[in-house]
Amino acid sequence: MQFQPKCFIIIILIALSCRANAQKAFKIVPLGVLGGIFESNLSAYMVAPSGSNNYICMDAGTIREGIGRACYNKVFMVPPDQILKKYIKGYCISHSHLDHISGLIINSPEDSTKNIYALPDCINTIKTHYFTWASWANFANEGEAPALKKYTYKTLSPGAETGLENTEMTVTAFPLSHSNLTSTAFLVQNKGNYLLYLGDTGPDEIEKSHNLQNLWQAIAPLIKAKTLKAIMIEVSFPNEQPDKTLFGHLTPKWLMTEMNTLAGLTGSSDLKGLNIVVTHLKPPYANIVKIKNELKAENHLGLNMVYPVQGRLLEF
Ligand SMILES: [Zn+2]
Ligand SMILES: [Zn+2]
């Protein structure tokens, strides 16, 4: 038999791609990626284990536009309304600011029955301010009568691992300091692999808090064990934003300050190449360019900075 170099190359390519796929633990479909002001591109990220279509949506600022874009990009091969009704099994809402939940509220008449997972303060605000009969309709299971019971509130306890119903994943919530609000970091787990999504947060030093320090302590062992596949974290403003007007957000400088704290717990070599998905960049466009340039210039730890695009699949 004659040696066929072409076949040999194809076999190697298939083997390499299988290996690459085998190492992916999670897929993320960003439905919205910015921190304002475009209402069609606000924080929302569908997360599922690789090989599954049982997604949880991390925040829900923009839903429909993001699903439409993902369908256009052939991320999904089923109609958009099936993504909303069948693929999204629940929502984890980091805090009650409208840029993180308005998509859920607006799409609620078309949605299917599912759970909303959040810390107590956030659930309470949704219950008393959004799913009320004065501001919308009460599609949830508690609050103003009549309750339409499409959504069931699942109140999370900080640090307690909770199953995400109808998915293969669990979530553990950690409180974050976000100006006058408590925001949330969600640590998602599937088969011993982890993904960390942070809602809006200020730096510990400005917020006079230990919340990020506590979070870094909790996840440091996962980084050392190489089971944390990515950290999704906000950078809202460029460095020129004065500390007194951060309003509970991060700049490139403050993100790197926090990453150095994390490096102090893991050793800096463990952070090299770690996937950092940068979320919540606030327009105008000139500021977004500045943020990216500043992060590049200050990335002495060798983090792998990833900028999500609405409707484009990410895998880690
Ligand atoms: Zn926000
Ligand atoms: Zn916020």
Side-chain angles (χ1 to χ4, degrees), residues 7 20 65 97 101 133-135 140 169-170 177 181 198 211 243 269:
C7 288
E65 176 71 13
H97 281 156
I101 194 171
W133 288 97
S135 47
M169 301 178 286
T170 64
S177 304
L181 285 194
L198 286 87
N211 281 335
D243 286 346
S269 63

Side-chain angles (χ1 to χ4, degrees), residues 58-96:
M58 298 286 143
D59 282 332
T62 296
I63 300 288
R64 190 157 296 264
E65 176 71 13
I67 289 174
R69 287 200 177 232
C71 287
Y72 178 80
N73 292 333
K74 308 248 183 306
V75 173
F76 301 118
M77 294 305 182
V78 298
D81 68 314
Q82 285 199 34
I83 308 301
L84 176 67
K85 288 190 163 105
K86 293 189 179 160
Y87 281 24
I88 297 178
K89 304 293 188 187
Y91 301 94
C92 287
I93 304 297
S94 67
H95 65 297
S96 52

Side-chain angles (χ1 to χ4, degrees), residues 182-202:
T182 297
S183 177
T184 314
F186 295 110
L187 182 64
V188 177
Q189 186 267 146
N190 172 252
K191 292 183 183 158
N193 292 309
Y194 294 85
L195 181 76
L196 181 67
Y197 172 85
L198 286 87
D200 296 356
T201 182

Side-chain angles (χ1 to χ4, degrees), residues 266-287:
T266 61
S268 52
S269 63
D270 279 318
L271 289 198
K272 200 168 182 332
L274 180 67
N275 297 310
I276 304 292
V277 180
V278 184
T279 66
H280 208 269
L281 293 90
K282 280 184 186 279
Y285 180 71
N287 279 12

Side-chain angles (χ1 to χ4, degrees), residues 132-315:
T132 70
W133 288 97
S135 47
W136 197 241
N138 183 7
F139 281 101
N141 64 321
E142 293 170 18
E144 255 180 42
L148 301 176
K149 297 184 180 161
K150 181 177 280 194
Y151 300 109
T152 301
Y153 294 125
K154 295 284 180 183
T155 305
L156 300 172
S157 304
E161 191 172 4
T162 305
L164 293 165
E165 273 177 41
N166 301 313
T167 81
E168 301 86 355
M169 301 178 286
T170 64
V171 70
T172 307
F174 297 86
L176 297 174
S177 304
H178 177 40
S179 189
N180 59 322
L181 285 194
T182 297
S183 177
T184 314
F186 295 110
L187 182 64
V188 177
Q189 186 267 146
N190 172 252
K191 292 183 183 158
N193 292 309
Y194 294 85
L195 181 76
L196 181 67
Y197 172 85
L198 286 87
D200 296 356
T201 182
D204 274 355
E205 198 176 318
I206 300 297
E207 296 281 319
K208 307 275 178 274
S209 161
H210 298 288
N211 281 335
L212 283 174
Q213 169 78 27
N214 293 341
L215 178 64
W216 303 145
Q217 264 164 358
I219 64 155
L222 308 178
I223 293 175
K224 289 182 84 68
K226 308 273 183 221
T227 54
L228 185 73
K229 301 303 173 183
I231 297 177
M232 306 174 72
I233 187 166
E234 72 131 283
V235 180
S236 294
F237 298 113
N239 285 335
E240 68 199 21
Q241 188 82 4
D243 286 346
K244 64 180 188 306
T245 51
L246 284 179
F247 309 113
H249 292 294
L250 296 174
T251 60
K253 181 194 84 169
W254 282 116
L255 174 69
M256 290 309 172
T257 302
E258 292 296 342
M259 288 296 104
N260 280 320
T261 305
L262 179 57
L265 298 167
T266 61
S268 52
S269 63
D270 279 318
L271 289 198
K272 200 168 182 332
L274 180 67
N275 297 310
I276 304 292
V277 180
V278 184
T279 66
H280 208 269
L281 293 90
K282 280 184 186 279
Y285 180 71
N287 279 12
I288 292 177
V289 172
K290 266 185 210 164
I291 290 170
K292 290 180 179 179
N293 286 337
E294 288 169 357
L295 285 171
K296 195 173 179 187
E298 292 167 36
N299 186 8
H300 306 300
L301 289 164
L303 301 160
N304 181 37
M305 312 306 289
V306 178
Y307 296 95
V309 177
Q310 185 179 39
R312 293 234 178 256
L313 178 69
L314 291 170
E315 292 181 281

Side-chain angles (χ1 to χ4, degrees), residues 22-87:
Q23 289 170 338
K24 306 288 185 196
F26 295 99
K27 50 185 178 177
I28 301 167
V29 185
L31 300 182
V33 302
L34 299 180
I37 51 173
F38 304 118
E39 72 264 34
S40 59
N41 197 0
L42 301 172
S43 297
Y45 298 86
M46 288 172 66
V47 172
S50 291
S52 168
N53 283 323
N54 299 323
Y55 287 89
I56 285 288
C57 203
M58 298 286 143
D59 282 332
T62 296
I63 300 288
R64 190 157 296 264
E65 176 71 13
I67 289 174
R69 287 200 177 232
C71 287
Y72 178 80
N73 292 333
K74 308 248 183 306
V75 173
F76 301 118
M77 294 305 182
V78 298
D81 68 314
Q82 285 199 34
I83 308 301
L84 176 67
K85 288 190 163 105
K86 293 189 179 160
Y87 281 24

